[in-house]
Amino acid sequence: MLPGLSEPALFAGSPPLHRRLLQLAAALGAGLPLYWVLGPQPAGWLAWLAPLPVLLLALRSARRDAAWMTLLAAVVGLSSNVAYFRLLMPLPAVLAVIAAKALLWLLVVPATRRLVLRYRAGWTVLAYPLLWVAIDTLMAAFLQDGNWGSLAYSQADYVPVLQVAALAGVPGLLFLLCLLPSALALLLAGGRAYAPAAAASLLLAVTASAAGAWRVQDARAPDGPLAGLVAIDDFIGPATPPAQAQAVWDQYARHVAQLAGQGARLVLLPEKIAVLAPAQAAAVQQRFQALARSTGVWLTLGVGVQDAAGRRNLAWLFAPDGTAPVSYQKHHLAPPERDFLAGNAYAVLPVAGRAMGLAICKDMHFAALGQAYGAAGAGVMLVPAWDFQRDAWMGARMTVVRGVENGYAVLRAAREGLLTVSDAHGRVLAERASSAMPGTTLLAPLPASVPVAPWAGWLGPLFGWLCVALGLPLLFMGRWRAGRDAAPHSAGGPAAPVSR
């Protein structure tokens, strides 16, 4: 037992109104760091410290005060998503989603507070990361949008730290990211008694980063054939004038020919360039099949096809020998395409001397699909995509993380997003923003894949579900008797009740 935590008494000496105003200001201030890490383009360095003010407020406040301050700070932080969510759903739904996410903070932080104050033991430093990983794992498994925006993805640009995902997936990365603020909160609130737990947490973070840096130093430089990526933001919809639609298709064809002339052996176009009737789809297929043959490139493009069976979001892969294309149907559908039919088949085939897999945009937000392609031997993933501008970084980096988890390179061409080439270590080797007509192109050599140990694919999911198994009992541990907080001991002092 560690006696370092004294009775929570933040602002206790102030008059009631003054105290409430100070608490309000403190909660708003604690929400500001969260604002910069809970949105679609988080500040990765700040993610290591952003939860610290909320945890400190909770540990130094009475139970009810801790609850409402945590909720307010979470709402402030999550409000960074409002503009993005409004692109996807009406305002009432946006508010409901933010409220639901804020309630998760109201679940995790008070539970962490309860365990720390009740047991006053070094092991309670694990409560906060365990609970968040458990929630993140459940979201990834059961929600239609998975764990989109998980705090773990904030580290996608920090390549040494990102290597944790190669060993323990997103669950391991999120655990490490949450462990440090938990340790610092206990150290600052409880004093030297928690120094060993804080030191062990810091040592783990430093060791993981150093091991990741060592792993990356042996990464091979890209040595594969050249690949071209193309994106034109203009969408061909039912209301698009025929002349404009033709201009977009012609521009794509010109880009393919130009990239082939520059040495590209494969060219990737974005998702759902148009939604087509069967006759239109057949004409587009014939045109680009002939283009792949005449330019000698492997060519991937995304289209929507609507027939009597319904609408499907497809990726076609054309071979340079002019054979019929391989067709892949998107598994995980974005909110605007809930009326599309979901696919369930995978596609891995030899392309330009490499085993390559096909996926579409949101598919790569799901670790299970990424793992299935890794198990099937994919060395490169070809990912046509369509983002919403505000989520361009997040969409691209979630896909990068799939490559680290499974040891493959990723080519991702997104309309209203980014054209990205990343290797199996998560290094973004080339990237450029998409644009409207005449569009954007990117030419880069294919990165190498990295052999992945057979156990690596299941270690991450296993760790996540282990956190679920441990996290559920934590929610019920340390409940105060008779509906009131049990008192934490002050250093050397007797127990005293904490005010409600």
Side-chain angles (χ1 to χ4, degrees):
M1 301 287 285
L2 298 176
L5 281 171
S6 58
E7 177 182 354
L10 191 65
F11 310 130
S14 304
L17 179 59
H18 190 201
R19 177 171 62 87
R20 192 64 75 194
L21 291 175
L22 288 173
Q23 289 174 328
L24 181 62
L28 292 173
L32 288 179
L34 296 179
Y35 182 90
W36 297 109
V37 302
L38 297 182
Q41 188 165 351
W45 66 270
L46 186 57
W48 293 89
L49 298 173
L52 179 58
V54 177
L55 289 169
L56 281 174
L57 280 180
L59 290 173
R60 304 302 300 149
S61 301
R63 179 172 61 86
R64 289 183 178 177
D65 291 336
W68 73 259
M69 285 191 288
T70 295
L71 185 62
L72 179 57
V75 169
V76 170
L78 291 163
S79 67
S80 58
N81 291 287
V82 169
Y84 169 61
F85 287 164
R86 283 291 286 124
L87 298 173
L88 307 175
M89 60 189 86
L91 183 59
V94 170
L95 298 177
V97 170
I98 289 178
K101 288 179 174 287
L103 289 175
L104 294 178
W105 283 82
L106 190 57
L107 177 68
V108 171
V109 174
T112 300
R113 173 191 181 275
R114 183 172 63 248
L115 289 163
V116 171
L117 296 182
R118 172 65 180 84
Y119 292 101
R120 294 174 292 116
W123 66 263
T124 57
V125 72
L126 302 175
Y128 180 76
L130 274 174
L131 289 171
W132 268 128
V133 174
I135 289 173
D136 197 77
T137 299
L138 292 170
M139 291 174 65
F142 297 113
L143 295 187
Q144 285 187 326
D145 294 320
N147 62 343
W148 182 95
S150 169
L151 195 62
Y153 295 116
S154 69
Q155 302 307 298
D157 283 339
Y158 297 87
V159 176
V161 174
L162 184 58
Q163 303 314 299
V164 173
L167 177 67
V170 164
L173 188 56
L174 181 60
F175 182 89
L176 185 67
L177 187 58
C178 292
L179 181 62
L180 189 60
S182 176
L184 290 175
L186 265 64
L187 180 64
L188 293 174
R192 288 179 298 177
Y194 292 91
S201 302
L202 180 60
L203 179 61
L204 180 61
V206 171
T207 301
S209 181
W214 175 80
R215 182 176 189 263
V216 172
Q217 73 175 355
D218 293 329
R220 291 167 50 190
D223 57 359
L226 290 176
L229 286 71
V230 185
I232 301 173
D233 287 346
D234 302 68
F235 171 62
I236 301 173
T240 303
Q244 183 179 341
Q246 187 62 44
V248 173
W249 286 118
D250 290 346
Q251 186 61 36
Y252 273 117
R254 280 192 289 270
H255 282 313
V256 172
Q258 289 168 359
L259 288 168
Q262 295 169 7
R265 296 245 346 249
L266 68 91
V267 178
L268 176 66
L269 276 54
E271 173 189 7
K272 208 163 39 178
I273 297 170
V275 177
L276 306 170
Q280 295 171 314
V284 168
Q285 188 175 108
Q286 290 172 6
R287 177 178 185 178
F288 283 87
Q289 185 175 348
L291 181 63
R293 182 174 59 250
S294 65
T295 57
V297 300
W298 294 86
L299 175 59
T300 303
L301 67 85
V303 294
V305 175
Q306 181 170 8
D307 55 24
R311 296 206 285 179
R312 300 182 303 282
N313 190 338
L314 304 177
W316 288 336
L317 174 60
F318 299 93
D321 61 6
T323 57
V326 173
S327 183
Y328 168 85
Q329 186 172 343
K330 188 176 183 180
H331 291 203
H332 297 281
L333 302 169
E337 53 187 9
R338 296 302 191 199
D339 59 335
F340 278 62
L341 302 173
N344 55 21
Y346 298 87
V348 179
L349 60 158
V351 176
R354 301 278 186 88
M356 299 195 186
L358 285 175
I360 299 176
C361 196
K362 193 178 181 67
D363 288 340
M364 296 298 284
H365 296 181
F366 292 81
L369 184 141
Q371 182 185 352
Y373 272 111
V380 179
M381 289 299 300
L382 304 175
V383 186
W386 184 4
D387 294 328
F388 298 92
Q389 293 182 333
R390 291 182 181 274
D391 67 343
W393 184 92
M394 182 63 72
R397 293 310 186 270
M398 291 178 75
T399 305
V400 167
V401 173
R402 296 288 88 81
V404 178
E405 289 173 331
N406 300 287
Y408 45 64
V410 177
L411 306 183
R412 187 179 191 269
R415 292 170 45 219
E416 298 188 84
L418 299 170
L419 289 74
T420 306
V421 178
S422 61
D423 70 4
H425 291 89
R427 299 180 303 171
V428 176
L429 304 175
E431 188 167 64
R432 188 170 294 169
S434 69
S435 61
M437 285 279 283
T440 300
T441 64
L442 182 64
L443 185 67
L446 273 176
S449 57
V450 174
V452 175
W455 46 264
W458 53 260
L459 185 58
L462 176 64
F463 180 69
W465 287 107
L466 178 62
C467 289
V468 172
L470 295 174
L472 291 177
L474 285 181
L475 292 176
F476 299 98
M477 289 176 62
R479 293 284 182 182
W480 310 129
R481 294 171 300 172
R484 61 185 298 176
D485 291 343
H489 295 252
S490 60
V498 178
S499 63
R500 295 171 63 88

